Amino acid sequence: MDQPATLAWKYAASLIRVEDLPMVAAHLLAAGHDSPSLRDLAGRSRHEHPAGIRELFGHTMEELGIQIPDYETAERCLLHHMATQLSAGALSPKEAAARVWQGIEAVTDPERTFVAAVGPEYLLDFMSPEEVRAWENAVRRAAKTLSATAFPHAQCPRTTSNDV
């Protein structure tokens, strides 16, 4: 199970759906985290009104001392997460290409280099096998460089290959 700070940026990056938050809260409780709002959220139904669930998740993160980052910061956390996953061999360059969109807000040079190296996924269909290998190597190099840099938000902890 991801740590609360990882769940916060994944939620902000739209990787966790609102209706899944009660189950996420139940998993956090099972992992030993606790707060009044967390217990309340874990007892909610996935069919409850999304606004109430969102608000309760915000209270839960607050009680756990976690700040939910803005969308731009969460996207940058996702870039760093994918670079770490790629460097660890848990994600392929092609999987990264399918997840990285060119409109993502890359702020630092390593982030911009990674996004540029990944490039638009559709270009892979027009590459020779040699070009694909060269592209994969360039993506891996950019991922290694990015994964060695600090996460863009103090509460976006470095993730491991087990954190999906």
Side-chain angles (χ1 to χ4, degrees):
M1 180 76 214
D2 288 329
Q3 291 298 311
T6 301
L7 294 169
W9 72 255
K10 284 183 175 183
Y11 169 73
S14 302
L15 298 178
I16 298 174
R17 298 178 313 192
V18 173
E19 61 266 23
D20 294 332
L21 290 175
M23 186 56 73
V24 166
H27 286 292
L28 284 173
L29 279 173
H33 300 279
D34 193 22
S35 82
S37 293
L38 181 61
R39 289 189 301 273
D40 186 4
L41 182 58
R44 298 293 179 108
S45 165
R46 66 180 294 125
H47 303 293
E48 290 191 33
H49 195 277
I53 297 296
R54 273 190 216 96
E55 183 178 348
L56 197 50
F57 182 71
H59 290 307
T60 297
M61 290 294 109
E62 212 172 275
E63 289 173 359
L64 295 175
I66 305 297
Q67 179 184 357
I68 299 174
D70 59 57
Y71 184 73
E72 177 184 300
T73 303
E75 279 188 330
R76 292 180 61 219
C77 288
L78 177 59
L79 277 180
H80 284 255
H81 173 72
M82 285 192 298
T84 301
Q85 296 282 298
L86 222 157
S87 294
L91 186 72
S92 74
K94 288 180 184 178
E95 290 169 319
R99 292 169 132 185
V100 172
W101 48 100
Q102 296 302 305
I104 199 164
E105 186 64 38
V107 175
T108 66
D109 286 338
E111 290 170 355
R112 283 190 288 272
T113 300
F114 180 66
V115 171
V118 169
E121 177 187 20
Y122 70 86
L123 292 179
L124 292 173
D125 294 337
F126 302 102
M127 292 181 179
S128 69
E130 296 80 25
E131 291 171 321
V132 169
R133 279 192 293 282
W135 169 80
E136 287 175 337
N137 289 333
V139 170
R140 285 189 180 97
R141 280 191 306 276
K144 185 175 181 179
T145 300
L146 180 57
S147 67
T149 64
F151 260 68
H153 188 262
Q155 292 185 329
C156 293
R158 187 155 313 282
T159 53
T160 66
S161 59
N162 295 330
D163 297 335
V164 178

